Amino acid sequence: MAPYGSDDSTTPDESDDLRAGRRKAARYVVPVAVVGVAAATIGLVPALADSGDPDLPKISAQQLIEKIAASDVERLSGTVKITTDLGLPDFGGLENSLTGGGSGSRSGDGSSADPTSKLTALATGTHTLRVAADGEDKQKLSLLENAAEYSLIHNGKDVWGYDSGTNEVFHGTADDSDGKDQREEVPATPKDLTEDALKAVDDTTSVTVEGTAHVAGRDAYRLVIKPKDSGSTVGQVTVAVDAKTGLPLKFTLTPASGGAAVVDAGFTQISYAKPAASTFDFTPPKGAKVTEEDAAGAPERHSGHSGGFSGDEGFAPGGPDGLDVIGEGWTSIATFDTGGQGIPSGSEAGGAFGGFLDSLGDKASGKFGEGTVFKTRLINALITDDGKVYVGAVTKDALVKAADEAK
């Protein structure tokens, strides 16, 4: 099906309006993710579209972005299937060897119900989430695991995490600033992922509407976002947008190298009815171990989204001091100096961690000297032997070129 809108015909005024629509979308999109879950990239779902594309009125890319920005969906419930295919090895054995515990355990006095303990589980494989939301103060996310369930509930000032496998509870509080910051850092639903992608819409980006689809029983438009410049590992981002509500229902990021999607998250079922108030109630079960956030020594939270695409946003807001961004848009590269601390080789690191390093790293050399490129199907990082780091959604050659030009 031919595109409904093309970036080639966009006038300067329309480009300004499109960017304004993008900024409105980033401001008004209401995250469905529960406060406290953090995952830089999640989701690959098998094809969720039904057979037969719906016949919908034509719409331009600018109009569709404005529709996302104007979406006022605050109440919903549904099921999201997500899988990550970053080309990373299985983290399970590595996590256990580093923490000294089995599945669900954490090092030290931490709790398996702490949301941060679920990061490695979401970094690989396929997962099913049940989500519910009733405004900005009530959200629930449940991760269905083997013979167990992990739930994260945000209800007013309270944030509860519960791991049924270990019968552990994590309790924290969400003030206004914390809630905002954490929601911005959590690309846990199609809407969250779309918000991050829209931040990349600038002169380096092609934005079109390419056909329609059925997703989770809803008619949707397909918004396609592509880098214009070569050198990025991102091929394109496709977002299925509910034709009536403007809510992103499915997000797919495919790599420039081809093959399966790297990131794709989509609803398999969705309802816009108000969830029952009891959905967000939680009382620690009898005998459960309860860990308070302050006692757990939770790391300081930083504002900004994680792993952004835009050169204006950078790849690691709140990251190391002295971080700079080279270039702009999809081929931007974040760089900082560790102070001469390079990364040890696998043999130097030893054990499971050494094997993990070897599985990711490729040796690299140039005018900058020597170093190692740690690679995924989306984000690559060059760490030089003298401790300088270059990271971005770009190819190995682009990282080496940036390091050479910095000399």
Side-chain angles (χ1 to χ4, degrees):
M1 185 175 294
Y4 288 158
S6 171
D7 59 296
D8 293 334
S9 61
T10 302
T11 67
D13 288 342
E14 288 174 333
S15 295
D16 291 341
D17 290 342
L18 188 146
R19 284 193 288 272
R22 176 254 300 179
R23 287 192 292 271
K24 285 181 63 182
R27 178 180 177 185
Y28 290 113
V29 167
V30 178
V32 178
V34 178
V35 170
V37 177
T41 54
I42 60 174
L44 165 66
V45 86
L48 299 177
D50 301 331
S51 59
D53 295 340
D55 185 13
L56 297 172
K58 290 186 177 182
I59 189 172
S60 70
Q62 178 182 328
Q63 290 171 329
L64 189 53
I65 287 178
E66 290 173 349
K67 191 175 187 70
I68 296 172
S71 179
D72 58 358
V73 174
E74 293 189 353
R75 299 180 177 90
L76 62 80
S77 59
T79 302
V80 177
K81 282 189 178 264
I82 61 175
T83 306
T84 305
D85 188 7
L86 288 168
L88 294 171
D90 185 356
F91 284 127
L94 173 65
E95 179 186 17
N96 293 340
S97 69
L98 293 179
T99 62
S103 176
S105 69
R106 281 175 57 86
S107 60
D109 297 326
S111 168
S112 69
D114 185 335
T116 59
S117 72
K118 299 301 175 181
L119 286 179
T120 54
L122 292 176
T124 60
T126 301
H127 304 276
T128 299
L129 303 175
R130 287 201 298 260
V131 299
D134 185 4
E136 294 189 349
D137 294 329
K138 293 183 178 181
Q139 298 107 29
K140 180 176 182 179
L141 180 151
S142 295
L143 171 62
L144 309 183
E145 301 172 311
N146 294 331
E149 180 174 319
Y150 175 78
S151 293
L152 191 59
I153 303 105
H154 171 217
N155 192 341
K157 295 291 186 181
D158 290 309
V159 176
W160 296 96
Y162 176 60
D163 187 341
S164 68
T166 61
N167 198 29
E168 292 192 32
V169 174
F170 178 88
H171 178 238
T173 57
D175 61 32
D176 292 340
S177 60
D178 278 353
K180 177 179 182 295
D181 291 348
Q182 291 184 58
R183 287 193 298 268
E184 287 180 350
E185 291 179 352
V186 181
T189 67
K191 197 165 193 177
D192 301 320
L193 292 161
T194 300
E195 180 179 355
D196 272 355
L198 288 174
K199 293 175 183 177
V201 176
D202 57 18
D203 293 339
T204 70
T205 308
S206 161
V207 184
T208 57
V209 179
E210 300 186 5
T212 62
H214 283 294
V215 177
R218 306 285 301 182
D219 291 347
Y221 292 103
R222 297 177 69 250
L223 183 70
V224 177
I225 304 168
K226 297 180 182 180
K228 289 182 179 179
D229 300 329
S230 61
S232 174
T233 55
V234 177
Q236 70 176 42
V237 170
T238 304
V239 182
V241 182
D242 192 312
K244 288 187 177 180
T245 67
L247 180 76
L249 298 173
K250 183 183 178 189
F251 175 101
T252 306
L253 189 157
T254 54
S257 58
V262 173
V263 179
D264 190 12
F267 283 94
T268 58
Q269 181 274 329
I270 188 170
S271 169
Y272 293 120
K274 180 177 180 178
S278 60
T279 302
F280 310 102
D281 293 339
F282 180 79
T283 301
K286 183 177 180 180
K289 176 185 175 182
V290 180
T291 301
E292 294 293 332
E293 181 176 27
D294 291 342
E300 181 182 357
R301 298 185 182 95
H302 299 285
S303 63
H305 65 91
S306 61
F309 297 109
S310 168
D312 292 337
E313 298 293 334
F315 281 91
D321 292 338
L323 184 144
D324 294 319
V325 176
I326 301 171
E328 62 180 1
W330 302 83
T331 55
S332 60
I333 297 172
T335 179
F336 60 93
D337 194 334
T338 65
Q341 299 296 319
I343 298 296
S345 65
S347 60
E348 291 172 330
F353 187 58
F356 175 72
L357 291 177
D358 285 340
S359 70
L360 293 181
D362 282 342
K363 293 298 180 182
S365 61
K367 295 178 182 178
F368 68 88
E370 295 185 345
T372 304
V373 174
F374 295 94
K375 57 190 184 299
T376 73
R377 297 179 67 221
L378 182 64
I379 303 297
N380 296 320
L382 167 63
I383 304 178
T384 66
D385 288 352
D386 60 358
K388 294 182 177 60
V389 178
Y390 301 85
V391 60
V394 297
T395 63
K396 173 182 176 179
D397 289 344
L399 293 174
V400 171
K401 180 180 179 182
D404 284 343
E405 291 179 349
K407 292 300 289 184

